C-alpha cells in the first residue's frame, strides 16, 4: 500500500507539471492608454574603470567609455541591429569628468582610486581624440545618442552639510565640449545634466531650485549652439531617484518647455549581492511595488510639466553592478521585460538599461561582447512593439504577465507574455472588446510567435533558445536571424513554464492602431 501511495504522489506531481490553464486575454484596441518613443529601448555606456569592484568582484573590465574596444565587430553589429539603438553616455562618474577642450582642462587625468573622491574615484577626463573615435562608432552603427554632462563644475560643498553641493553650475567646460561636438557635425539626440544628484542624492546632492536654474542655463546653451529647432537636442534631467517634492519643485523652477525628458532611475531589486535576488525577479507581487513610482512620476509631469515626457534614464534592477549569477541570465528577463511593459503603460517614453556592456547586467558580455538573453529580448521588443500601448487584461494567474501594443511594422497588435510560473502552462485565447476579431480573421491569418526559453530549462543559463533553437552569433559575428514560427491563429497561444513569448496578430483590428 505504501509503494502505491508513493506512485500516486509521483503521478499527481507529473500531472500538475503538465497541466495547462486556459486563459482569456482581452485587448482593448479602440484607444491607446499610453504612448512610447519610437526608440523606447536604450542602453548606457558607463565611465567605470577596471578598478570598479563590488562584493569581491570587478565585473567591468574594459567596458568603460575610456577603455572600451571601439573596433570590436560584435559590439558594432549589436548596436547596428537595432537601427537605431538609443545609447546614453553617463553614469556615476560623469560628474567627475573633464573635457579636454578649450582652456579649462589643460591636463587630462585618468580615474584613480581615491577614498575622498566621489564614489571612491578621482576626477577623470575625456580627450577629443577619444570622443572622435566614439563618434566614429556611433556614426557607423546609427546610434541615437544621449550625453550626460558634468553638473558639479563650479560648485563646492556646503559648510553645513557635507553632501550638499552649493553654488551655480559653471557651464564653460561643457559649452566648449558642446561647441566642439557641433563643429565636428556629431549628432546628439539629447543632453542630460548630472547623475543622481537629486533628492537626497547618492554621493552628492543639489537643491531642486538650484538644479532647475542650472538646467535653464543648459537649455539656453543648446538653443544657442543648435538654433535649428528641427535638429536641436532635447534637454533631460535630473537623472536620479524619484523624490516627489524635489521633482515637483524642479519642474516648477524650470518652467515651460525647458525639460523635454524627466529622467528617473530605478534599482528596485536591491543590492546585487542579495541572496533572494532570483526570487524577486520571479515574484509578480514584488515587481508590482515599483508601479507606484511610475505612477507618481507621470502625475508630477501631468501637474507641473505636461510639455515633458517621463523617461527611465537608468535601470539595472540590482545596484552595485547587478547580481553575479542572475543579472545576465535568462531569469533576469522576467524583471527586464516586465519593467519595459509596465513603464510603457505609465506613459514612459524611454527605458534605458544599465548597461549596454559592463557589470553583471550588461546586454553584452563584458569580456566576449557576446549578447546575453536580455539583449535578444530587447531587440524583439524594439522590432515588434509599436509606440501605441493598449490595455490588456486576463482572468488567469498573476504569474502570467501580458502587455499589448500596436505592432511596429505591420497591421494588428503585438503581445508580450511572460510566464513566471515554473509549473503551469497557460493556453491564452485572445479576444477584443469590440468583437471585431472575428473567426474569419483567425481562419485567414497566421500568427507569428517567438518563444524564448533557457537552455536545458535552467533559468540561470545565459544561452537563450528561440523557438527551441539556441541564438548564437553567425560566423561573421553578426546577430543571428530571429524568425518567428507561424501558428494557426485559431489555436490559443501556449506559454510554457518559465518562458517568454512575443506574438504578433496581424488580423486583430484595433482602431487605435490605424
Amino acid at each position: 500500500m505504501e509503494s502505491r501511495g508513493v506512485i500516486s504522489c509521483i503521478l499527481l506531481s507529473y500531472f500538475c507539471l503538465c497541466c495547462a490553464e486556459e486563459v482569456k486575454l482581452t485587448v482593448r484596441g479602440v484607444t491607446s492608454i499610453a504612448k512610447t518613443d519610437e526608440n523606447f529601448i536604450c542602453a548606457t555606456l558607463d565611465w567605470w574603470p577596471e578598478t570598479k569592484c563590488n562584493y569581491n568582484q570587478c565585473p567591468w573590465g574594459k567596458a568603460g567609455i575610456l577603455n572600451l574596444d571601439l573596433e570590436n565587430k560584435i559590439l558594432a553589429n549589436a548596436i547596428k541591429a537595432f537601427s537605431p539603438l538609443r545609447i546614453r553616455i553617463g553614469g556615476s562618474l560623469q560628474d567627475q569628468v573633464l573635457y579636454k577642450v578649450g582652456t579649462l582642462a589643460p591636463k587630462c587625468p585618468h580615474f584613480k582610486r581615491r577614498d575622498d573622491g566621489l564614489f571612491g574615484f578621482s576626477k577623470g577626463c575625456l580627450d577629443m581624440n577619444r570622443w572622435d573615435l566614439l563618434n566614429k562608432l556611433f556614426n557607423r552603427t546609427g546610434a541615437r545618442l544621449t550625453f550626460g554632462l558634468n553638473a558639479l563644475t563650479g560648485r563646492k560643498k556646503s559648510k553645513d552639510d557635507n553632501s550638499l553641493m552649493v553654488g551655480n553650475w559653471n557651464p564653460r567646460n561643457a559649452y566648449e565640449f558642446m561647441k566642439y561636438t557641433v563643429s565636428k557635425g556629431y549628432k546628439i539626440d539629447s543632453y542630460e545634466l548630472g547623475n543622481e544628484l537629486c533628492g537626497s542624492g547618492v554621493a552628492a546632492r543639489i537643491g531642486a531650485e538650484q538644479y532647475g536654474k542650472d538646467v535653464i542655463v543648459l537649455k539656453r546653451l543648446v538653443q544657442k549652439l543648435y538654433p535649428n529647432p528641427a535638429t536641436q537636442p532635447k534637454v533631460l534631467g535630473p537623472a536620479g531617484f524619484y523624490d516627489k517634492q524635489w521633482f515637483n519643485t524642479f519642474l516648477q523652477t524650470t518652467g515651460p518647455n525647458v525639460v523635454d525628458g524627466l529622467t528617473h532611475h530605478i534599482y528596485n531589486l536591491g543590492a546585487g549581492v542579495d541572496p533572494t535576488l532570483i526570487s524577486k525577479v520571479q515574484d509578480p507581487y514584488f515587481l508590482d511595488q515599483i508601479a507606484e513610482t511610475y505612477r507618481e512620476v507621470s502625475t508630477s509631469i501631468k501637474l507641473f510639466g505636461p510639455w515633458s515626457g517621463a523617461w527611465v534614464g537608468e535601470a539595472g534592477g540590482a545596484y552595485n553592478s547587478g547580481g553575479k549569477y542572475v543579472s545576465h541570465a535568462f531569469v533576469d528577463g522576467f524583471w527586464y521585460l516586465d519593467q519595459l511593459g509596465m513603464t510603457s503603460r505609465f506613459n514612459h517614453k524611454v527605458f534605458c538599461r544599465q548597461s549596454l556592456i559592463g557589470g553583471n547586467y550588461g546586454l553584452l558580455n563584458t569580456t566576449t561582447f557576446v549578447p546575453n538573453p536580455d539583449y535578444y529580448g530587447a531587440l524583439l521588443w524594439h522590432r515588434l512593439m509599436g509606440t501605441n500601448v493598449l490595455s490588456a487584461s486576463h482572468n488567469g494567474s498573476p504569474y502570467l504577465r501580458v502587455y499589448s501594443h500596436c505592432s511596429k511594422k505591420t497591421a494588428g497588435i503585438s503581445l508580450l507574455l511572460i510566464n513566471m510560473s515554473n509549473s503551469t502552462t497557460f493556453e491564452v485565447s485572445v479576444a477584443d472588446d469590440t468583437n471585431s476579431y472575428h473567426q474569419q480573421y483567425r481562419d485567414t491569418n497566421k500568427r507569428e510567435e517567438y518563444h524564448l526559453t533557457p537552455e536545458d530549462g535552467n533559468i540561470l543559463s545565459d544561452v537563450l533558445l528561440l523557438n527551441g533553437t539556441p541564438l548564437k552569433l553567425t560566423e561573421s559575428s553578426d546577430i543571428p536571424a530571429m524568425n518567428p514560427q507561424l501558428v494557426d491563429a485559431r489555436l490559443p497561444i501556449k506559454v510554457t513554464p518559465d518562458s517568454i513569448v512575443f506574438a504578433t496578430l496581424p488580423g486583430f483590428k484595433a482602431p487605435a492602431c490605424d
Side-chain angles (χ1 to χ4, degrees):
M1 293 294 292
E2 184 177 340
S3 62
R4 181 179 297 176
V6 171
I7 292 172
S8 298
C9 288
I10 292 173
L11 289 174
L12 182 60
S13 299
Y14 177 78
F15 175 77
C16 290
L17 287 171
C18 297
C19 64
E21 179 179 321
E22 294 183 357
V23 174
K24 180 182 178 181
L25 169 64
T26 301
V27 177
R28 295 167 180 82
V30 174
T31 59
S32 64
I33 59 172
K35 192 176 181 67
T36 69
D37 189 86
E38 185 76 17
N39 302 112
F40 179 67
I41 299 294
C42 168
T44 294
L45 283 176
D46 212 306
W47 294 97
W48 289 121
E50 293 180 76
T51 50
K52 160 66 173 173
C53 304
N54 298 103
Y55 319 125
N56 298 315
Q57 55 168 325
C58 304
W60 283 87
K62 293 185 179 298
I65 293 165
L66 299 180
N67 53 23
L68 180 63
D69 178 8
L70 303 179
E71 296 298 323
N72 186 280
K73 190 174 182 181
I74 300 174
L75 173 64
N77 288 340
I79 297 172
K80 194 183 301 181
F82 280 82
S83 291
L85 175 63
R86 185 185 293 276
I87 292 179
R88 167 182 175 254
I89 288 187
S92 299
L93 295 184
Q94 81 177 53
D95 296 303
Q96 295 280 83
V97 178
L98 303 173
Y99 315 115
K100 184 67 171 69
V101 60
T103 59
L104 284 188
K107 297 181 180 179
C108 203
H110 297 292
F111 289 117
K112 294 181 180 179
R113 277 286 179 186
R114 182 172 171 175
D115 292 340
D116 62 344
L118 203 67
F119 295 98
F121 285 91
S122 67
K123 291 182 179 179
C125 173
L126 174 64
D127 68 56
M128 294 304 98
N129 288 333
R130 183 66 177 177
W131 183 229
D132 293 340
L133 292 174
L134 282 160
N135 277 279
K136 182 179 178 182
L137 171 67
F138 300 146
N139 291 337
R140 190 168 75 246
T141 58
R144 189 178 295 270
L145 193 65
T146 293
F147 191 92
L149 295 164
N150 182 340
L152 291 183
T153 53
R155 307 188 202 273
K156 58 184 179 180
K157 291 183 179 180
S158 167
K159 295 179 180 180
D160 302 320
D161 186 338
N162 195 48
S163 68
L164 179 65
M165 304 298 291
V166 296
N168 295 324
W169 175 53
N170 184 340
R172 184 173 174 183
N173 189 222
Y175 175 75
E176 294 292 341
F177 168 74
M178 295 164 68
K179 185 177 178 182
Y180 176 87
T181 299
V182 171
S183 71
K184 300 289 285 189
Y186 299 151
K187 295 179 181 178
I188 303 293
D189 177 79
S190 44
Y191 285 105
E192 186 173 41
L193 186 63
N195 184 82
E196 296 179 354
L197 299 170
C198 58
S200 58
V202 176
R205 66 187 180 91
I206 300 172
E209 290 187 8
Q210 179 64 61
Y211 215 129
K213 293 174 183 176
D214 298 328
V215 170
I216 291 173
V217 172
L218 173 58
K219 184 72 171 187
R220 290 170 180 166
L221 292 183
V222 170
Q223 291 172 332
K224 178 179 180 180
L225 291 167
Y226 300 87
N228 184 354
T231 57
Q232 192 174 97
K234 301 179 183 67
V235 170
L236 313 177
F241 296 101
Y242 179 73
D243 178 298
K244 182 178 180 179
Q245 183 175 349
W246 196 102
F247 270 59
N248 291 351
T249 301
F250 169 73
L251 284 173
Q252 288 174 293
T253 302
T254 53
N257 304 313
V258 173
V259 178
D260 300 297
L262 188 72
T263 50
H264 70 104
H265 295 182
I266 59 164
Y267 285 87
N268 58 314
L269 299 177
V273 75
D274 185 348
T276 68
L277 183 59
I278 190 171
S279 299
K280 289 180 176 178
V281 297
Q282 301 175 85
D283 183 350
Y285 301 101
F286 180 86
L287 296 178
D288 275 341
Q289 293 176 19
I290 193 65
E292 184 60 26
T293 297
Y294 300 146
R295 182 180 293 107
E296 289 192 350
V297 170
S298 296
T299 299
S300 288
I301 289 174
K302 183 178 180 180
L303 293 176
F304 302 106
W307 50 83
S308 184
W311 291 35
V312 173
E314 182 179 307
Y319 59 80
N320 286 343
S321 302
K324 184 176 181 179
Y325 303 106
V326 174
S327 296
H328 59 83
F330 173 85
V331 72
D332 192 68
F334 292 157
W335 165 79
Y336 178 47
L337 291 172
D338 187 60
Q339 297 304 296
L340 292 182
M342 193 184 302
T343 53
S344 67
R345 280 184 177 175
F346 285 101
N347 213 35
H348 279 54
K349 307 306 179 187
V350 173
F351 189 104
C352 202
R353 169 82 173 219
Q354 171 69 305
S355 58
L356 175 59
I357 183 168
N360 294 305
Y361 37 40
L363 293 177
L364 307 178
N365 182 279
T366 301
T367 55
T368 66
F369 292 80
V370 171
N372 287 319
D374 280 350
Y375 171 87
Y376 292 110
L379 185 56
L380 281 174
W381 176 289
H382 179 74
R383 290 177 175 177
L384 302 176
M385 308 293 275
T387 59
N388 286 326
V389 187
L390 305 175
S391 172
S393 59
H394 65 80
N395 60 351
S397 165
Y399 285 84
L400 175 66
R401 314 283 273 191
V402 180
Y403 300 99
S404 177
H405 287 222
C406 297
S407 293
K408 191 164 191 176
K409 295 182 178 178
T410 62
I413 64 170
S414 289
L415 302 174
L416 166 62
L417 305 98
I418 306 170
N419 186 355
M420 298 180 184
S421 170
N422 61 10
S423 59
T424 304
T425 293
F426 297 102
E427 294 187 345
V428 182
S429 298
V430 184
D432 70 313
D433 56 335
T434 63
N435 198 33
S436 60
Y437 189 46
H438 296 305
Q439 189 65 40
Q440 61 177 327
Y441 295 118
R442 296 188 180 96
D443 291 342
T444 58
N445 286 277
K446 292 288 186 180
R447 186 172 62 237
E448 298 177 354
E449 294 183 1
Y450 305 78
H451 292 255
L452 305 179
T453 54
E455 187 176 53
D456 298 326
N458 177 12
I459 59 173
L460 289 178
S461 174
D462 57 6
V463 176
L464 183 67
L465 309 184
L466 171 59
N467 297 326
T469 302
L471 287 171
K472 297 180 179 180
L473 296 174
T474 67
E475 292 183 0
S476 58
S477 298
D478 286 314
I479 301 302
M482 300 177 67
N483 298 318
Q485 62 181 24
L486 299 180
V487 180
D488 188 333
R490 292 171 294 186
L491 300 175
I493 302 172
K494 187 174 183 180
V495 191
T496 57
D498 286 333
S499 74
I500 298 166
V501 179
F502 284 92
T504 295
L505 286 62
F508 195 102
K509 300 296 183 181
C513 302
D514 294 339

